[in-house]
Amino acid sequence: MDMLSQILNMNAGGAYGGGKAGGAFDPLAFAMKPQVVIRALCWLFSVVVFGCISSEGWRVDEEGKDKCLFNDDAMACKFGNTVGVFGFIASIAFIVGEYLFERMSSVKSRKRFVMADMGFSAFWAFMYFVAFIYLWSQWSSAEIPPGGIGVANMQASIVFCFFSVFTWALCAFMAYKRFLIGAGDEFTSAFETDPANVVHQQAYTSYSMDNDNDQYSQSPFTNQQAGMDQQQVPQMDYQQPTY
């Protein structure tokens, strides 16, 4: 439940849901991040998929040719292996990228990483879904190999393809949540907490209040009364003295 709440409320205070750039690295906190935990599951499931197919997905027939246990469809084995291997590599790459994400001071770099994560994760969830349907359909039509050798591995590869659909889709969802967070809140908070901006804002506010006080502290009838007083002063004619 704690991890689910972290996934639904991802806002670490930095741009695109990441921490502040240049902060101290905590290995335990990094390992417990939802993105790292789910990505580790993607890595593990990928190992199971291509490991099961590579180890016992092929058998040698009477003619000495390699046959795929998925209904003798070599493309099914190759496709399952390809999806698993690339998922394995991508999982490691994104875990490393997650480590570097906290050290990215550029908002544009973080945005590119989040968009790449969201796009690739969604696409690979779809690829695992195709692999699940493909392998399951071929296995349902295949004959049981002699002695049942490889049956458990083929079934495990199908099951973990199905699990991988949800883990990769969850990675895409978390990247989408990060994309929605964006950099707007970070820029706003940075402007509001910048001491220079606070000083300028206070100075402007004080200047405006002083002008308002000077303007409205005087009585509106002061100038008018002064003009009337000047008009009421009697005008005295100057007389030239006589000698």
Side-chain angles (χ1 to χ4, degrees):
M1 294 298 294
D2 293 338
M3 182 173 295
L4 180 60
S5 61
Q6 292 179 13
I7 294 174
L8 296 178
N9 301 292
M10 291 188 306
N11 195 345
Y16 288 95
K20 300 293 185 180
F25 176 68
D26 186 356
L28 182 60
F30 175 77
M32 295 301 295
K33 289 181 61 175
Q35 292 88 350
V36 177
V37 173
I38 302 302
R39 197 65 74 178
L41 289 178
C42 293
W43 174 84
L44 178 61
F45 294 168
S46 298
V47 172
V48 173
V49 170
F50 80 80
C52 290
I53 298 176
S54 299
S55 60
E56 295 185 349
W58 301 86
R59 64 181 177 87
V60 180
D61 60 3
E62 293 80 3
E63 298 179 358
K65 296 181 180 180
D66 291 333
K67 296 291 185 179
C68 178
L69 293 186
F70 290 105
N71 198 24
D72 294 339
D73 186 355
M75 186 59 65
C77 288
K78 292 179 181 179
F79 184 77
N81 264 334
T82 301
V83 173
V85 169
F86 277 96
F88 169 80
I89 297 174
S91 299
I92 297 178
F94 279 113
I95 290 176
V96 175
E98 194 65 37
Y99 169 77
L100 299 175
F101 183 78
E102 303 293 339
R103 285 149 184 77
M104 295 179 185
S105 58
S106 173
V107 177
K108 292 183 178 180
S109 298
R110 289 192 174 191
K111 182 179 180 180
R112 294 190 189 101
F113 177 80
V114 170
M115 294 182 66
D117 186 5
M118 179 173 57
F120 185 87
S121 297
F123 176 69
W124 221 245
F126 172 75
M127 293 296 290
Y128 264 112
F129 177 75
V130 174
F132 166 72
I133 297 298
Y134 188 14
L135 298 181
W136 175 75
S137 63
Q138 292 299 323
W139 180 251
S140 61
S141 303
E143 297 180 357
I144 301 299
I149 299 176
V151 173
N153 281 20
M154 299 305 99
Q155 293 175 346
S157 64
I158 296 173
V159 170
F160 280 94
C161 278
F162 179 73
F163 291 161
S164 296
V165 174
F166 296 98
T167 55
W168 283 93
L170 186 57
C171 289
F173 173 74
M174 290 188 294
Y176 175 70
K177 292 284 290 183
R178 272 182 168 179
F179 182 77
L180 291 182
I181 292 173
D185 294 339
E186 175 66 13
F187 286 149
T188 302
S189 61
F191 179 82
E192 292 177 351
T193 56
D194 188 357
N197 294 331
V198 173
V199 171
H200 292 315
Q201 185 176 4
Q202 291 178 351
Y204 176 78
T205 304
S206 176
Y207 176 78
S208 300
M209 292 179 63
D210 292 341
N211 287 344
D212 293 341
N213 291 334
D214 292 341
Q215 180 178 357
Y216 295 105
S217 61
Q218 297 180 359
S219 173
F221 302 102
T222 302
N223 296 333
Q224 182 178 0
Q225 185 68 29
M228 294 178 62
D229 293 341
Q230 292 179 359
Q231 294 178 1
Q232 292 177 1
V233 174
Q235 300 292 331
M236 300 180 61
D237 296 334
Y238 176 75
Q239 297 180 357
Q240 183 177 4
T242 56
Y243 298 97

